[in-house]
Each structure stands twice: as C-alpha cells, then as structure tokens.
C-alpha cells in the first residue's frame, strides 16, 4: 500500500507556526498529506463538514471557535476523524480534559519530533487496521453514489426516533463512516450527521406546533432521550429554544 496517503488539516491561528507544523507532519511521515491550514475552529468546521479529513491537528486557544469546541463537534458527528490537540504549557491541563472527546493524542508546543512521529505512526496503524477508511469495501463498489444517498435518507426517515448516529448508519447500511460522509456530502452539500439532525429538528418543529405536546415528549419522539441536549440542538438549528418557539406559535 505504498500509494496511499492520509488526509490532514491543521488548525492554528499563528500562520508561521501552522506552516511549520504542516511541514513537520509531512517530513516526519510521508504518508501524511496536509490539505489545508485554518486560523480558527469555525473555518475548519465549515471545511470538515464538506470534505472530512482523516486527521485534524488543532491548537486550543484560537479566535471565533477554540480547539476544544472543534473536537467536541467532531466527536459528536464525525467520530471517525482522528483529532490531535496542540497546546502550550498554559493550556496543557485543559488539553488533557479533551480526552473525553476521544482525542487521539495531545502534544506540547513546540512539538517534539519524536513524540510527533509516535503519534503519526499510532494513527496510521489504527487507520490501516480499519482498511475501510482507506480502501473501499465491496459494498461501496457495488452501489452508485445516488443509491447510497437514497439508502441513507430512507433509513433516517424510518428510524429518526431511534438511536441514530453516523456509526449506526454505517453499520446498518454496510459502508464505512468516511465513505458515507464523502458520498453524501458531495451529492447533498451536507453531511449525513447534519441531515439526521436537521430531519429530526424538522419533525420536532411540527410536533411542537401541537398544543398539548410537551417538550420532553417531543424530545423522545425525535430520538433525544436527554431533553437538555434536544433543547440545545433545537436552538442551534433554529435560533430559539423549543419553549420560545412553542410560545411564539
């Protein structure tokens, strides 16, 4: 498999440091290719939703959206992406807390080349152990992209009240998470995870229009056992909380 490469983006607000990190990654392991560099988490997140990389190296302290929020979003909707936190000494304790978001590693700046090499090798071995992240499965070869999109939509529309995630979709449809995201994003302009969320929120909006529908009941009906998580997601989607929306009707 000498012809494969692993897609990477670097998120760092100091341009010079970002370029040095990107250069160091590619020099340390030739299988890694840095596709883009972003100065903040928000720009990186916009890119990730359209063209998910396999690995994200991100600083913590950045304007607009910091690295912790970025890895949190990745963890919630694209957990197949490997994340590496970069931090200065002042942020190191904070960086360690990001372990709950499934970060692959955290490295102190300036980066120690040996530690970077170990992290890159570990991630590469993990990706190779899950060959579907690099090579298409037989199922992926037998379906047209348009057919895969239809399968995703049909599954979500039938099971939106259940526990659906990108991983669940992949397991039930027989494709890798990264391939589903790549195909769906290319044809629909959004990720499967965002489609799941938006479809659920659309149903929730309809249900909340019913006079007797409680927020807790609607939350459960659209697959959110935790009403707080439901309310947070609803507000992120529509700009108002479920209760504010219900009161406005």
């Amino acid at each position: 498999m000498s012809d494969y490469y692993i897609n990477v983006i670097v998120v760092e607000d100091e341009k010079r440091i970002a370029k040095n990190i990107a250069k160091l990654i590619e020099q340390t392991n030739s299988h890694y290719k840095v596709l883009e560099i972003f100065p903040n988490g928000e720009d990186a997140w916009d890119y990730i939703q359209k063209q998910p990389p396999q690995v994200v190296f991100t600083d913590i302290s950045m304007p607009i959206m910091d690295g912790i929020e970025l890895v949190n979003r990745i963890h919630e909707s694209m957990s197949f992406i490997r994340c590496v936190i970069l931090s200065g000494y002042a942020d190191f304790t904070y960086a360690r807390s990001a372990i709950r978001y499934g970060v692959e590693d955290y490295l102190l700046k300036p980066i120690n080349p040996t530690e970077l090499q170990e992290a890159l090798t570990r991630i590469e071995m993990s990706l190779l152990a899950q060959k579907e992240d690099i090579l298409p499965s037989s199922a992926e070869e037998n379906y047209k992209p348009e057919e895969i999109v239809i399968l995703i939509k049909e599954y979500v529309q039938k099971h939106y009240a259940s526990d659906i995630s990108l991983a669940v979709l992949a397991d039930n449809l027989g494709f890798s998470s990264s391939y589903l995201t790549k195909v769906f994003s290319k044809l629909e302009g959004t990720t499967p995870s965002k489609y799941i969320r938006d479809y659920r929120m659309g149903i929730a909006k309809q249900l909340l229009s019913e006079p007797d529908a409680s927020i807790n009941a609607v939350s459960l009906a659209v697959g959110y056992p935790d009403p707080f998580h439901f309310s947070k997601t609803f507000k992120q989607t529509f700009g108002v909380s479920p209760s504010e929306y219900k009161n406005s009707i």
Side-chain angles (χ1 to χ4, degrees):
M1 293 187 63
S2 58
D3 58 342
Y4 75 88
Y5 63 85
I6 297 168
N7 295 330
V8 181
I9 66 169
V10 174
V11 192
E12 161 66 62
D13 59 332
E14 294 288 343
K15 190 174 182 179
R16 179 183 59 81
I17 294 175
K19 287 184 175 180
N20 287 340
I21 291 171
K23 184 178 180 181
L24 186 59
I25 289 171
E26 293 185 339
Q27 287 179 341
T28 302
N29 188 319
S30 60
H31 286 153
Y32 285 79
K33 181 178 178 61
V34 177
L35 301 179
E36 297 287 348
I37 295 173
F38 297 97
N40 61 74
E42 185 173 275
D43 290 348
W45 179 241
D46 288 342
Y47 176 89
I48 289 168
Q49 292 179 90
K50 298 172 186 174
Q51 193 174 336
Q54 289 166 283
V55 186
V56 173
F57 280 76
T58 180
D59 187 23
I60 289 182
S61 300
M62 296 180 292
I64 307 178
M65 182 193 297
D66 66 22
I68 299 297
E69 175 62 22
L70 176 61
V71 298
N72 180 26
R73 292 193 182 189
I74 292 172
H75 176 68
E76 287 188 344
S77 59
M78 297 188 189
S79 57
F80 63 89
I81 297 176
R82 271 60 172 187
C83 294
V84 178
I85 289 284
L86 308 172
S87 72
Y89 283 102
D91 294 321
F92 196 54
T93 301
Y94 189 32
R96 291 177 67 92
S97 70
I99 196 70
R100 67 181 181 274
Y101 299 134
V103 296
E104 195 75 23
D105 213 330
Y106 39 87
L107 303 174
L108 274 174
K109 295 189 294 183
I111 296 175
N112 181 303
T114 301
E115 291 181 355
L116 175 63
Q117 184 177 41
E118 291 174 353
L120 293 177
T121 300
R122 186 162 52 250
I123 293 170
E124 182 181 8
M125 292 302 99
S126 175
L127 288 172
L128 288 174
Q130 300 176 15
K131 291 182 180 180
E132 71 273 12
D133 285 334
I134 295 176
L135 299 175
S137 68
S138 58
E140 291 163 5
E141 293 173 340
N142 292 332
Y143 281 86
K144 294 178 181 178
E146 294 80 4
E147 293 172 331
I148 294 173
V149 168
I150 291 172
L151 287 174
I152 291 172
K153 289 185 174 180
E154 287 181 344
Y155 188 90
V156 172
Q157 291 166 16
K158 289 179 181 177
H159 301 90
Y160 67 86
S162 306
D163 177 22
I164 304 182
S165 65
L166 181 59
V168 170
L169 269 178
D171 288 343
N172 281 276
L173 298 181
F175 303 95
S176 68
S177 297
S178 56
Y179 189 75
L180 283 185
T181 300
K182 179 181 178 182
V183 169
F184 198 86
S185 299
K186 184 176 181 179
L187 294 183
E188 295 294 310
T190 188
T191 63
S193 297
K194 190 171 186 299
Y195 177 77
I196 293 170
R197 187 199 71 180
D198 290 348
Y199 188 82
R200 281 171 157 171
M201 292 301 104
I203 298 294
K205 205 172 185 180
Q206 295 176 34
L207 294 176
L208 287 169
S209 300
E210 298 296 326
D212 298 329
S214 70
I215 292 173
N216 283 359
V218 172
S219 176
L220 286 172
V222 295
Y224 285 82
D226 180 1
F228 176 77
H229 186 202
F230 166 71
S231 296
K232 181 181 178 182
T233 304
F234 190 94
K235 187 166 186 177
Q236 286 175 342
T237 305
F238 298 117
V240 294
S241 68
S243 57
E244 289 171 336
Y245 174 74
K246 196 166 181 59
N247 290 335
S248 70
I249 298 174

